[in-house]
Amino acid sequence: MTTKTIGTTAGVVWTALSTSGKMTVKDLKKATKIKTDKDLFAALGWLSKEGKLVFDEQDEELQVWLA
């Protein structure tokens, strides 16, 4: 996976969260149609590094939303 691909995937994740608000990681993966956990977590890492995400764990599920 290249930096460009991660950035593009991060844009897809940001758009989904912007539209839908708080989501579990499982629901986010479904909504974005990202195929692998690796790709999703690379995008989440990118956005997190930029300070654009908030994370919380509820009922043993990781939830994420835009900061």
Side-chain angles (χ1 to χ4, degrees):
M1 180 171 233
T2 67
T3 302
K4 183 177 179 179
T5 305
I6 295 169
T8 301
T9 305
V12 170
V13 168
W14 188 92
T15 300
L17 291 171
S18 175
T19 302
S20 299
K22 184 188 275 190
M23 301 177 80
T24 65
V25 170
K26 182 179 176 181
D27 289 340
L28 182 58
K29 187 175 175 186
K30 261 193 236 177
T32 59
K33 297 181 172 126
I34 294 173
K35 294 181 181 183
T36 68
D37 287 343
K38 175 187 73 167
D39 293 345
L40 177 60
F41 282 107
L44 290 174
W46 178 293
L47 292 168
S48 182
K49 175 77 168 135
E50 292 183 343
K52 298 189 188 263
L53 299 180
V54 178
F55 295 93
D56 188 30
E57 190 172 351
Q58 296 265 327
D59 301 321
E60 298 184 24
E61 285 202 68
L62 185 62
Q63 296 183 339
V64 62
W65 63 95
L66 295 178

